[in-house]
């Protein structure tokens, strides 16, 4: 057991292991193979110094490789003060299972740098990031064919651009250098829709749940996503996009938002753009006009709502507060927001949980598209878009000639436009999320001993990794 675990409250890493074991117990796997799949293959720890503000500062970073049953391995790099080996290993394990579940052909990895990015200016952060990247690149822990990072908490397009540039400087003749990292800006080899991808995937996963009348009814919710009252924790990349799309496109009402400095509530719902602007300007949610405010941001988790979306960090719903959660559906946008103890308690209460390894898989799915784009050196849609438009125009003309009637003007533009990169990315992501929900649900509904979507997700992922090992002869 991890030293930070208690019998009542397992650590993040132990929670992932417990959830794995619960699923594996329902499968017919040899013990040795089960153990091979569960354990983390390797974790590299690096300590490096950077001269800043007139003195040398030492930083500690990690890159864990959980499973190399497929390569490259994939997983974000987070910048956060409390990052440690256990956290990175738990996150790397989740990446293995996530990629397997959504059929993205990668193994699992994760990286972290113990740093509070808000304490450094942009130039300093660039020097620190490049130095960290240098340490990982020279050991092939960043490499287009072996290990491909992406953004996570505290990192984004900017950091990925620095990492890609650092790789290019160290591998000047690698024609596939752009594919060494995903989540890059569009102008530097990125793909349209990657920034929004994880939040977009959270939206699609929630839509999938609401398409299944029985799942909705058993959770004790009324049918239809429109009008549902949603509380979100963390309005960063993932939380902001999820809340924006659910409120602007699906008609949800965001009635509560928890952030570092407190939580705000408003029964008639927030404009996410306005709250985000306030957050960027003031650094918090406090003082947002027309909202009730409490200083303890964690109270958002206990607020009255239909859907709770924890989108900040792990281990926020524990045995201590799980009983106070009022939501009937939890969509795990963050990785590991529920401890194994909380997960048990909520399942017994009949709360539906869309598990992290599925709900936030939109990021790695679109990262996969970006990696393929980088390797193929061509933007999606470039060859076929105008051809599609010409075909549609011909079809319209033929219909008009055959019927003697004009094609409805309001439909013409939509019908005519060929697929752009963003259309294809969203279509591929939607298809992935629908496919994976269908796979999880089929197993969950078919086998009475599979208690929930999470267990089903783990079983599918473990089964696919096991098949891969079998074909490798292990
Ligand atoms: P981010 O750094 O963009 O945003 C995190 C947000 O959470 C920030 O607004 C921060 O202020 C807030 N926050 C931090 N501590 C908090 C606390 N104690 N209470 C309330 N709010 C708090 O990070 P992100 O990329 O949005 O990642 C969020 C979660 O989603 C993480 O668990 C991450 O692993 C997971 N995730 C991210 C991606 C991705 O593509 N970025 C993909 C998959 C999973």
């Amino acid at each position: 057991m991890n030293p930070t675990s208690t019998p009542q409250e397992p650590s993040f890493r132990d929670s992932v292991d417990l959830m794995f074991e619960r699923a594996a117990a329902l499968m017919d796997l040899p013990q040795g193979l089960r153990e091979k799949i569960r354990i983390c293959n390797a974790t590299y720890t690096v300590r490096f110094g950077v001269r800043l503000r007139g003195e040398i500062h030492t930083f500690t970073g990690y890159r864990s490789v959980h499973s190399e049953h497929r390569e490259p391995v994939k997983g974000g790099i987070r910048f956060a003060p409390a990052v440690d080996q256990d956290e990175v290993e738990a996150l790397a394990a989740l990446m293995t299972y996530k990629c397997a579940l959504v059929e993205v052909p990668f193994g699992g990895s994760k990286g972290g740098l113990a740093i509070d990015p808000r304490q450094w200016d942009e130039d300093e952060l660039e020097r620190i990031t490049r130095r960290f990247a240098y340490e990982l690149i020279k050991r092939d822990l960043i490499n287009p064919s072996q290990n491909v990072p992406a953004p996570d908490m505290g990192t984004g397009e900017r950091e990925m651009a620095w990492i890609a540039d650092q790789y290019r400087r160290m591998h000047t003749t690698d024609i596939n250098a752009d594919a060494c990292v995903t989540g890059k800006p569009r102008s530097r080899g990125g793909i349209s829709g990657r920034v929004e991808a994880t939040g977009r995937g959270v939206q699609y996963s929630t839509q999938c749940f609401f398409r299944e009348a029985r799942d909705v009814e058993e959770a004790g919710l009324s049918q239809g996503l429109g009008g549902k009252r949603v509380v979100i924790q963390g309005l960063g990349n993932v939380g902001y996009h999820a809340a924006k799309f659910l409120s602007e496109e699906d008609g949800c009402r965001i009635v509560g938002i928890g952030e570092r400095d407190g939580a705000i509530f408003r029964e008639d719902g927030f404009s996410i753009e306005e709250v985000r602007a306030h957050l960027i300007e003031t650094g918090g949610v406090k003082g947002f006009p027309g909202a009730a405010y409490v200083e303890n941001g964690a109270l958002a988790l206990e607020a009255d709502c239909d859907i709770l979306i924890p989108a900040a960090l792990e281990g926020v719903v524990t045995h201590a507060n799980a009983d106070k959660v009022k939501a009937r559906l939890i969509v795990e946008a963050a990785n590991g927001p529920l401890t194994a103890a909380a997960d048990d308690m909520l399942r017994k209460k009949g709360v539906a949980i869309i598990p992290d390894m599925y709900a936030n898989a939109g990021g790695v799915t679109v990262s996969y598209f970006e990696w393929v784009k980088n390797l193929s050196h061509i933007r999606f849609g470039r060859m076929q878009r105008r051809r599609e438009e010409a075909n549609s125009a011909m079809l319209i003309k033929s219909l008009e000639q055959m019927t003697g009637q004009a094609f409805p003007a309001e439909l013409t533009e939509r019908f005519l436009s060929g697929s752009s990169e963003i259309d294809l990315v969203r279509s591929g992501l939607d298809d992935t999320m629908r496919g994976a929900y269908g796979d999880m649900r089929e197993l969950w509904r078919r086998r009475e001993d599979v208690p929930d979507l999470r267990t089903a997700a783990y079983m599918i992922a473990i089964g696919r990794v096991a098949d891969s090992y079998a074909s490798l002869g292990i």
Side-chain angles (χ1 to χ4, degrees):
M1 189 190 270
N2 186 293
T4 57
S5 286
T6 65
Q8 245 180 345
E9 199 68 273
S11 70
F12 180 23
R13 185 175 152 178
D14 284 339
S15 285
V16 173
D17 280 351
L18 282 166
M19 290 167 183
F20 175 98
E21 293 297 351
R22 190 171 70 205
L26 300 173
M27 302 173 72
D28 186 20
L29 283 181
Q31 182 56 32
L33 178 58
R34 183 162 149 177
E35 194 55 11
K36 173 71 202 85
I37 296 171
R38 189 189 64 77
I39 48 112
C40 181
N41 287 4
T43 299
Y44 172 70
T45 304
V46 56
R47 294 178 190 87
F48 57 91
V50 186
R51 183 176 287 281
L52 300 159
R53 302 178 193 176
E55 57 179 310
I56 293 185
H57 292 262
T58 301
F59 298 91
T60 306
Y62 308 88
R63 186 84 184 153
S64 275
V65 175
H66 176 261
S67 174
E68 292 150 289
H69 68 287
R70 296 238 169 161
E71 284 184 315
V73 293
K74 191 101 188 60
I77 290 184
R78 70 167 49 171
F79 285 1
V83 164
D84 62 16
Q85 181 169 344
D86 270 345
E87 177 178 296
V88 175
E89 289 189 358
L91 290 162
L94 278 177
M95 282 308 297
T96 296
Y97 310 139
K98 189 180 303 185
C99 291
L101 177 69
V102 295
E103 299 190 289
V104 161
F106 297 136
S109 181
K110 200 82 181 192
L113 185 64
I115 183 178
D116 182 352
R118 292 172 304 169
Q119 290 185 355
W120 303 97
D121 68 30
E122 189 164 357
D123 286 347
E124 292 167 336
L125 268 179
E126 175 170 356
R127 290 179 60 197
I128 298 164
T129 306
R130 283 184 182 274
R131 185 69 170 69
F132 183 35
Y134 168 82
E135 294 293 335
L136 299 181
I137 293 164
K138 74 178 184 190
R139 290 170 180 83
D140 285 335
L141 287 164
I142 296 178
N143 182 301
S145 59
Q146 287 188 30
N147 197 325
V148 182
D152 194 74
M153 219 156 88
T155 57
E157 287 189 318
R158 183 184 64 173
E159 288 74 15
M160 301 307 115
W162 292 333
I163 292 173
D165 187 61
Q166 188 64 34
Y167 181 88
R168 235 176 269 115
R169 287 182 189 194
M170 294 167 70
H171 293 86
T172 49
T173 56
D174 186 346
I175 194 171
N176 292 322
D178 276 354
C180 76
V181 66
T182 57
K184 301 176 293 289
R186 183 77 177 66
S187 59
R188 307 287 292 274
I191 194 168
S192 308
R194 175 59 184 91
V195 175
E196 66 168 44
T198 310
R200 183 64 79 182
V202 171
Q203 176 199 25
Y204 289 163
S205 66
T206 313
Q207 289 175 351
C208 284
F209 178 87
F210 275 91
R211 270 189 213 106
E212 298 295 341
R214 181 175 164 197
D215 301 357
V216 176
E217 193 186 324
E218 284 182 6
L221 288 164
S222 61
Q223 300 295 328
L225 189 46
K228 289 290 176 293
R229 298 165 64 248
V230 176
V231 169
I232 196 134
Q233 184 192 44
L235 211 62
N237 177 301
V238 179
Y240 158 71
H241 285 104
K244 175 179 167 68
F245 299 143
L246 285 168
S247 58
E248 291 178 3
E249 298 175 13
D250 294 306
C252 291
R253 248 188 308 149
I254 313 294
V255 295
I257 298 170
E259 256 293 332
R260 289 178 209 261
D261 68 325
I264 50 172
F265 302 96
R266 191 156 86 189
E267 195 43 45
D268 60 353
F270 289 107
S271 150
I272 291 305
E273 287 303 337
E274 285 173 16
V275 182
R276 175 79 164 178
H278 181 84
L279 188 64
I280 290 169
E281 198 187 317
T282 67
V285 288
K286 189 176 176 180
F288 185 77
Y293 168 80
V294 293
E295 202 175 321
N296 180 0
L299 287 178
L301 302 163
E302 302 167 18
D304 184 34
C305 63
D306 300 309
I307 306 173
L308 173 65
I309 307 184
L313 58 169
E314 61 267 12
V316 291
V317 183
T318 65
H319 84 278
N321 61 354
D323 255 348
K324 298 179 191 149
V325 168
K326 297 182 189 65
R328 296 305 305 167
L329 171 67
I330 299 178
V331 187
E332 293 185 327
N335 281 305
L338 273 55
T339 64
D343 183 56
D344 270 343
M345 289 165 70
L346 288 161
R347 185 167 1 90
K348 284 176 193 145
K349 263 174 63 176
V351 176
I353 297 165
I354 304 186
D356 49 4
M357 93 170 67
Y358 166 69
N360 68 33
V364 76
T365 303
V366 177
S367 275
Y368 168 46
F369 301 154
E370 180 177 333
W371 182 74
V372 171
K373 172 185 176 178
N374 293 152
L375 295 181
S376 57
H377 300 267
I378 187 166
R379 154 169 64 79
F380 289 109
R382 181 164 176 180
M383 301 286 280
Q384 67 269 41
R385 183 171 182 186
R386 303 301 165 192
R387 180 75 198 145
E388 280 175 15
E389 288 181 0
N391 279 344
S392 302
M394 209 154 59
L395 191 62
I396 287 184
K397 207 167 158 196
S398 312
L399 280 171
E400 287 180 335
Q401 270 180 10
M402 280 156 57
T403 60
Q405 287 181 15
F407 195 82
E410 67 278 12
L411 294 181
T412 308
E413 200 182 324
R414 268 172 54 202
F415 189 75
L416 269 181
S417 69
S419 308
S420 63
E421 186 172 78
I422 187 73
D423 297 330
L424 293 168
V425 164
R426 287 185 184 150
S427 154
L429 176 58
D430 196 8
D431 185 58
T432 303
M433 299 310 287
R434 289 186 200 215
Y437 193 85
D439 290 347
M440 289 188 302
R441 188 173 189 277
E442 188 280 325
L443 181 61
W444 174 39
R445 293 301 185 192
R446 177 165 50 83
R447 278 185 53 170
E448 275 185 11
D449 55 348
V450 177
D452 56 9
L453 285 168
R454 190 193 310 280
T455 311
Y458 268 93
M459 288 171 73
I460 291 165
I462 295 168
R464 288 181 182 156
V465 179
D467 285 349
S468 237
Y469 277 127
S471 62
L472 289 174
I474 294 175

